[in-house]
């Protein structure tokens, strides 16, 4: 079958299309979030399949016209999914999602830091013995991050909200 690409569409304030761009990091690409970056471009977070390694998180950085600046994928030998991304003070990016690689259980929160050029600087996973999946991330006033999603490892073992606070270094 055909592989899915990521679509980035920019409109003006009236909703009229300005431009449309498509991107593929690997195969079966799914874009989950897009944010404007400090330089007026965009950062897209999602998941892709690369080689035989299963699904991985991707980041795609564009310029103000939606032209590709760089793309990269991150993860281990299992499956990862990217759900949200924020830009930080050094112009790098923090992405959040979940991983099935080297986990404490079925899946863990997966948070990574990439520099302004998309090179990974650190990664961490957080969770218990069951399914824990991060869906959103935000910066906090102290330079850290709040990561939100759901847990089956803590609480009453159904899908409970799981809020994790991280320092700026993960």
């Amino acid at each position: 079958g055909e592989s899915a690409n990521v679509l980035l569409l920019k409109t003006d304030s009236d909703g009229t299309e300005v431009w449309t761009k498509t991107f593929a990091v690997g195969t079966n690409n799914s874009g989950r979030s897009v944010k404007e970056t400090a330089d007026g471009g965009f950062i897209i977070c999602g998941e892709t399949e690369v080689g035989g390694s299963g699904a991985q998180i991707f980041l795609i950085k564009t310029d103000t016209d939606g032209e590709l600046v760089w793309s990269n994928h991150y993860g281990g030998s299992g499956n990862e999914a990217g759900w949200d991304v924020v830009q930080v003070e050094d112009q790098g990016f923090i992405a959040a999602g979940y991983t099935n690689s080297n986990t404490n259980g079925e899946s863990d929160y997966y948070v990574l830091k990439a520099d302004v050029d998309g090179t990974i600087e650190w990664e961490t996973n957080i969770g218990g013995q069951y399914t824990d999946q991060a869906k959103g991330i935000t910066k906090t006033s102290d330079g850290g991050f709040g990561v939100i999603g759901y847990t089956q490892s803590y609480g009453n073992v159904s899908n409970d909200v799981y809020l994790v606070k991280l320092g700026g270094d993960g």
Side-chain angles (χ1 to χ4, degrees):
E2 291 187 27
S3 175
N5 291 336
V6 175
L7 176 75
L8 183 63
L9 169 69
K10 182 175 181 179
T11 66
D12 64 18
S13 59
D14 296 322
T16 304
E17 181 178 320
V18 177
W19 47 253
T20 303
K21 306 291 179 179
T22 58
F23 306 95
V25 179
T27 58
N28 296 322
N29 303 275
S30 293
R32 301 276 190 224
S33 76
V34 61
K35 304 277 175 68
E36 190 172 8
T37 54
D39 61 8
F42 300 93
I43 188 79
I44 307 167
C45 179
E47 65 194 77
T48 187
E49 293 175 21
V50 180
S53 62
Q56 296 205 314
I57 289 182
F58 73 68
L59 292 176
I60 296 170
K61 173 70 179 80
T62 76
D63 65 14
T64 56
D65 298 318
E67 297 298 328
L68 181 67
V69 176
W70 55 259
S71 66
N72 206 349
H73 56 89
Y74 314 90
S77 58
N79 288 314
E80 284 77 34
W83 278 88
D84 200 11
V85 61
V86 292
Q87 189 170 32
V88 292
E89 285 63 30
D90 69 2
Q91 306 308 304
F93 303 94
I94 307 283
Y98 59 90
T99 181
N100 297 112
S101 304
N102 305 313
T103 60
N104 301 310
E106 294 166 8
S107 65
D108 288 349
Y109 277 28
Y110 179 54
V111 181
L112 68 92
K113 166 76 166 59
D115 68 15
V116 68
D117 298 315
T119 303
I120 193 163
E121 293 185 332
W122 54 257
E123 59 188 340
T124 188
N125 51 331
I126 304 147
Q129 81 180 90
Y130 301 113
T131 298
D132 305 300
Q133 297 188 355
K135 301 292 185 170
I137 187 165
T138 190
K139 293 186 280 189
T140 55
S141 59
D142 62 3
F145 308 94
V147 186
I148 190 89
Y150 72 89
T151 182
Q152 294 175 352
S153 298
Y154 309 108
N156 65 14
V157 194
S158 65
N159 290 349
D160 284 351
V161 173
Y162 188 35
L163 176 64
V164 175
K165 172 75 169 66
L166 295 178
D169 60 357

